[in-house]
Amino acid sequence: MPGITAPQRARTSRRPTGLPNPPMILLAGPEKTGKSRLAAEGTASELIGMTFWIEIGGSEGTADYYGRLPGANYEIVNHDGSYQDILDAVRWAVAQPPAVEGKRNMIVIDNGSNLWDMLSDEQALFARWRAEKKAQENRRRGPNPDLPVTVDPDLWNRAKDRWGEILWLLRRHSGPVIIIARQEVVTAFENDKPTRDKTRKIKAEKNLPAAVDAIVELHGLGEAYLTGVRTLHWEVTPGQNERFEDFSIDALLRRMGFAEAAPARQVTETRPEAYLDEQQAQQRQQPQQQRGQQQRQAATQQGDQRPKLTGDRAAALVRQALESQHDPEANLQGIREEWGVRTLQQVSVQTPWGEMNADQAITRSLQFIKERAQQKQQAAGQQNEHSQQEQAANPAAPQPEQTGPEVAREHQARTEPDPPAEDDAPPPPDPQAEEPQPNESPEDTSAAEEPQDVPPAAARPAAAPPVTRQNRKLALALKALHAEADVQARLRMMTVGEHLGPISEEGDPSMTVLRDYLQQHRPALIAQLESEGHTELAAYYRGAPVVEPQIQQRFAVYFEGAPAGQK
């Protein structure tokens, strides 16, 4: 199928660094072959600053006991045994800064087989619960409690995703990672039929050997074999397992060149969810494009039906805006937005400052409002200064008291300028001001279609927009939407920029676009919370209003890593 051959995005390339990644090492072997002991002895390496030990499964419980080994230097990271708490323990260990300057931390997962067994048990329990629920809905007998329930492929995919989330975090660690796993001796199969030969199988997720940088198998106490390694610092014999004499974690790290490893693992993770975001963005763009086309057509029809702007009508509009008791500046700017700069420049009007086009009349009126306000402020300042001088000269004189209405009238007189009268002699235009742009040919387009030109910077008043209650409400609503975007990005394990990327390609999205985008992501995140066991938080999020100012406070406990029952 033919496609686009030209690159659609700005792209660069770089030269390889030649530095190895911080190694991930798989230490596998049968029971009681010294896997945990070798890992504990490796914490004494001079290459390591501190080691964080995450023990999973209570069948062995050797983390405390091996702490008495000479030189052992590690700390045990506590958790409650649930997946979410184990995940957060890994997250915490990865985020810890180096305990010793110039030396990186190491993480030990003891062990990965127990973690995979727990994930498998989770899906088996979920499959039984789903079968019982389906039987109740269909008013049928539930599954036999003495027989196993078939785990559907979608549940196994969920277990793989949860396992992959652990590995994703471990790949973000700047130091070495040791994953301990059990190895079983099983019957070898050939063409799906058992043979008399035996083989060794690592009891963990089947893709684990491909995710690590080195595989060390222990066939017995003190009998280590290097069955896989990714290194250029060490000459290995291809095609066979190599016996590792006097194996230790320190020796393996030195042979893999850990002393000159890169600061972080140099890898670009795949993003399968980006395809779904792309499809959703296309679905959102289609109705928006249709609405934009309809609005342009309606604006064109409205522009055709609207009466033509004449000089008398333009002068009346400007005069009405100046005489308004509520924000004459905003009314003058509203005339520009309604008719457009190009249309106003084609209409000639008579003003107290002489004949000029309507756009120039609006600019001159804005200047007049600003000048009158400044004059009144100066007059008020001189009056206050004169009063203070009189008071200083005669301290015993009583001070006039101003009542509330008088103060209000004074404030109103200072802020609202009077419109120019016919007999009032306005100041002449500034001869050094920039000349207005020449008139252009009129265009039969509406204000919604044509670009709104901006008046020259020298003639534009530097007035800030008024702070109203409506503006404050909009600012609070936008702040709440950005807070929800931050919560959604953290739930999806990405930055806010990555989360809002589909709607931020042309700049910051509008409030409406941001609100609709966040609402579309809510169902998936609610399902994620329910699958993780946070039913109360999921129920809150489902019933939360469109704009929820307290969303960060409600999710604070979740991100701090509390157990599911406490959320």
Side-chain angles (χ1 to χ4, degrees):
M1 179 177 179
I4 300 174
T5 58
Q8 302 297 298
R9 300 178 183 178
R11 198 168 305 281
T12 59
S13 60
R14 63 180 180 86
R15 300 289 298 176
T17 62
L19 301 177
N21 289 323
M24 294 180 61
I25 300 172
L26 175 60
L27 196 58
E31 295 79 0
K32 310 302 182 293
T33 54
K35 302 183 294 295
S36 299
R37 176 168 181 167
L38 286 171
E41 292 174 347
T43 62
S45 172
E46 296 180 356
L47 301 175
I48 304 301
M50 175 55 69
T51 299
F52 296 102
W53 195 291
I54 303 177
E55 190 173 37
I56 304 173
S59 59
E60 299 178 1
T62 58
D64 285 296
Y65 181 47
Y66 285 150
R68 67 189 298 175
L69 290 171
N73 181 26
Y74 60 89
E75 295 179 358
I76 302 174
V77 184
N78 296 320
H79 57 84
D80 63 2
S82 65
Y83 169 77
Q84 284 299 328
D85 209 39
I86 294 173
L87 178 67
D88 200 64
V90 176
R91 189 182 293 117
W92 179 88
V94 172
Q96 294 308 301
V100 180
E101 185 178 358
K103 295 184 179 181
R104 310 185 194 186
N105 298 335
M106 184 169 69
I107 297 178
V108 175
I109 305 296
D110 187 12
N111 66 47
S113 299
N114 292 339
L115 176 61
W116 179 246
D117 290 341
M118 185 194 73
L119 296 176
S120 302
D121 294 341
E122 282 182 349
Q123 304 314 314
L125 291 173
F126 190 86
R128 180 172 294 277
W129 172 82
R130 186 161 64 179
E132 292 175 352
K133 182 179 179 182
K134 186 175 181 180
Q136 291 177 359
E137 293 175 353
N138 297 331
R139 297 182 179 180
R140 298 167 59 182
R141 181 179 299 178
N144 191 334
D146 298 329
L147 297 177
V149 178
T150 302
V151 180
D152 296 331
D154 66 314
L155 298 182
W156 283 121
N157 292 336
R158 180 182 300 180
K160 288 178 176 291
D161 291 341
R162 293 161 79 86
W163 170 270
E165 194 169 1
I166 296 285
L167 293 183
W168 185 88
L169 283 173
L170 294 176
R171 285 195 291 268
R172 266 70 192 159
H173 183 48
S174 60
V177 176
I178 307 298
I179 302 177
I180 301 174
R182 293 194 306 273
Q183 191 179 52
E184 298 176 346
V185 179
V186 297
T187 301
F189 279 73
E190 184 177 357
N191 297 328
D192 295 334
K193 293 183 179 180
T195 64
R196 295 182 179 181
D197 300 329
K198 300 292 183 180
T199 185
R200 295 179 179 272
K201 180 180 179 181
I202 298 175
K203 188 173 178 58
E205 202 275 327
K206 63 180 182 180
N207 294 319
L208 176 60
V212 298
D213 300 292
I215 304 173
V216 178
E217 297 183 3
L218 301 177
H219 294 180
L221 290 173
E223 186 181 357
Y225 289 87
L226 185 68
T227 61
V229 67
R230 184 185 294 118
T231 180
L232 297 176
H233 289 73
W234 179 17
E235 293 295 334
V236 294
T237 304
Q240 64 181 13
N241 299 337
E242 183 173 343
R243 177 71 180 268
F244 202 126
E245 300 292 344
D246 298 329
F247 171 76
S248 67
I249 298 296
D250 179 77
L252 180 59
L253 291 177
R254 295 181 184 277
R255 290 190 180 185
M256 295 182 68
F258 171 65
E260 57 181 62
R265 181 169 288 269
Q266 304 165 3
V267 63
T268 302
E269 299 284 351
T270 58
R271 296 177 54 215
E273 74 281 356
Y275 176 73
L276 181 60
D277 295 339
E278 178 184 350
Q279 299 301 316
Q280 293 176 350
Q282 292 178 357
Q283 293 177 1
R284 288 193 303 270
Q285 290 176 357
Q286 291 178 357
Q288 291 177 358
Q289 293 175 354
Q290 294 176 359
R291 287 196 299 268
Q293 185 176 4
Q294 294 175 359
Q295 292 175 357
R296 287 192 295 270
Q297 293 176 357
T300 303
Q301 295 175 0
Q302 182 180 2
D304 295 340
Q305 298 174 0
R306 185 172 55 183
K308 185 177 180 181
L309 183 65
T310 61
D312 295 339
R313 179 174 175 80
L317 291 174
V318 174
R319 187 181 306 107
Q320 183 180 1
L322 284 172
E323 295 175 354
S324 174
Q325 299 296 326
H326 302 286
D327 200 351
E329 294 184 11
N331 294 333
L332 289 172
Q333 294 292 355
I335 299 175
R336 270 205 179 107
E337 295 178 0
E338 180 180 0
W339 293 95
V341 175
R342 293 185 179 178
T343 301
L344 293 172
Q345 289 177 348
Q346 312 307 316
V347 179
S348 177
V349 296
Q350 292 292 336
T351 68
W353 305 285
E355 183 178 359
M356 60 184 68
N357 62 50
D359 181 66
Q360 293 173 345
I362 293 176
T363 301
R364 190 64 186 86
S365 299
L366 291 172
Q367 289 180 345
F368 176 77
I369 293 173
K370 184 178 180 181
E371 291 170 358
R372 288 294 300 270
Q374 292 176 352
Q375 292 175 1
K376 291 189 176 183
Q377 289 179 358
Q378 292 176 358
Q382 293 175 358
Q383 182 178 1
N384 292 337
E385 184 179 358
H386 182 66
S387 300
Q388 293 176 359
Q389 292 176 356
E390 290 181 353
Q391 181 180 0
N394 189 9
Q399 299 297 326
E401 296 182 358
Q402 292 183 350
T403 60
E406 293 174 351
V407 175
R409 285 194 297 272
E410 180 182 358
H411 177 70
Q412 181 177 5
R414 293 181 183 179
T415 56
E416 295 185 0
D418 296 333
E422 293 294 337
D423 55 351
D424 187 8
D430 187 2
Q432 296 181 356
E434 295 183 3
E435 292 294 332
Q437 297 179 359
N439 294 340
E440 300 177 4
S441 58
E443 298 178 4
D444 297 333
T445 56
S446 66
E449 290 178 298
E450 61 185 5
Q452 301 299 312
D453 295 344
V454 181
R460 188 180 183 89
V467 180
T468 63
R469 181 179 300 177
Q470 183 66 19
N471 291 343
R472 287 195 295 269
K473 289 183 178 180
L474 293 176
L476 292 175
L478 185 60
K479 181 179 179 181
L481 291 176
H482 280 292
E484 183 174 0
D486 178 71
V487 170
Q488 289 190 358
R490 296 180 68 180
L491 288 173
R492 296 182 63 192
M493 302 296 293
M494 61 175 58
T495 63
V496 178
E498 294 174 344
H499 179 47
L500 300 182
I503 60 175
S504 303
E505 294 181 354
E506 298 181 357
D508 293 338
S510 63
M511 183 181 296
T512 304
V513 175
L514 178 61
R515 179 198 61 195
D516 296 342
Y517 183 76
L518 297 177
Q519 288 296 311
Q520 292 176 358
H521 280 80
R522 277 194 179 185
L525 297 177
I526 292 172
Q528 174 184 335
L529 292 172
E530 291 178 342
S531 65
E532 295 174 355
H534 302 281
T535 54
E536 296 183 3
L537 191 58
Y540 151 74
Y541 199 20
R542 183 180 293 105
V546 177
V547 179
E548 173 56 281
Q550 303 296 328
I551 189 168
Q552 284 186 327
Q553 290 82 345
R554 296 298 299 268
F555 275 87
V557 179
Y558 172 85
F559 292 125
E560 290 174 1
Q566 301 179 6
K567 298 175 182 174

